[in-house]
Amino acid sequence: MVALLATMAVSATKPLDVSRIEVEVKGGTNIPFKAIHYGSKAGLTLGVDARYNLKDMPFDVGVSFLANWAQGEGLTEFVDVDEIIYTIYACRHRTLAGLITGGYNLRRGYKVNPYAGIGIGIGGTSIWKDSLLPNAVKAVFVPKVGVELMYNFRLEVSALVTRNHFNSLNFTLGVVFGGRPKKVKALPDANN
């Protein structure tokens, strides 16, 4: 992260003037950091971000709503007379989070805009079909890096860091509405 931020600081360009408000709808997949009970598989990540682009600065601030599902397997045991029977079942670990976000845009207003950001907030964590871990509200931390292409598309890699068994690495594709460069008005010609 330090190397990335140093590279961004050295190679940053003056940000172009863009519309102040932008909204992003994104979706993708995630990979849990740690096996959930007896195994884990890729899950689904969905999100909506609303950002405010600061004037004459490469920063944006905003809010984000994130839904993250990770797939896993649980184990139950059933005692039948002198025999213990084990059953493996599917379970889903879900995190629904609200975050306050901040971001740094390396080339805001250009057709290729690398960026880095962070989100901090709270999230509800729950497990479907598992009674071992109760539902809980926990702090959520989401560092992210990505690139915005052609003003309208964002490829992003982020980490969802919260409660044990709910942490994941997320890969998303987003569609952005707003945030395009403002058109520069031509000055009248003094010779006419």
Side-chain angles (χ1 to χ4, degrees), residues 13-135:
T13 61
K14 183 175 180 351
L16 298 178
D17 194 20
V18 297
S19 58
R20 297 287 165 254
I21 305 293
E22 63 185 22
V23 175
E24 176 186 0
V25 178
K26 60 186 170 184
T29 189
N30 64 55
I31 300 170
F33 284 159
K34 182 178 179 182
I36 300 171
H37 301 306
Y38 298 96
S40 58
K41 302 173 187 170
L44 177 66
T45 299
L46 299 173
V48 175
D49 295 352
R51 290 183 291 273
Y52 179 81
N53 295 307
L54 300 177
K55 186 173 175 65
D56 299 326
M57 297 176 71
F59 298 100
D60 59 63
V61 294
V63 294
S64 180
F65 299 97
L66 182 66
N68 205 55
W69 292 271
Q71 300 283 90
E73 293 179 343
L75 183 71
T76 58
E77 60 179 60
F78 173 73
V79 179
D80 184 23
V81 189
D82 293 332
E83 183 180 9
I84 299 175
I85 301 169
Y86 295 99
T87 305
I88 294 176
Y89 62 89
C91 62
R92 289 186 185 92
H93 291 225
R94 180 185 68 197
T95 304
L96 299 175
L99 308 160
I100 296 173
T101 63
Y104 177 79
N105 298 277
L106 188 63
R107 295 176 47 84
R108 187 174 79 190
Y110 293 88
K111 290 185 179 181
V112 177
N113 172 28
Y115 64 90
I118 191 167
I120 299 171
I122 59 170
T125 59
S126 62
I127 301 175
W128 176 73
K129 255 194 170 177
D130 193 340
S131 59
L132 297 176
L133 294 171
N135 299 345

Side-chain angles (χ1 to χ4, degrees), residues 186-191:
L187 296 173
D189 189 3
N191 296 330

Side-chain angles (χ1 to χ4, degrees), residues 134-181:
N135 299 345
V137 175
K138 296 288 184 178
V140 177
F141 177 68
V142 180
K144 58 187 175 181
V145 294
V147 62
E148 185 174 286
L149 302 169
M150 306 299 291
Y151 318 117
N152 292 107
F153 302 100
R154 279 189 166 210
L155 298 171
E156 184 175 284
V157 177
S158 64
L160 174 74
V161 181
T162 185
R163 182 180 178 196
N164 195 20
H165 296 293
F166 291 82
N167 302 323
S168 66
L169 185 64
N170 302 337
F171 303 91
T172 59
L173 170 64
V175 178
V176 179
F177 303 94
R180 293 181 68 85

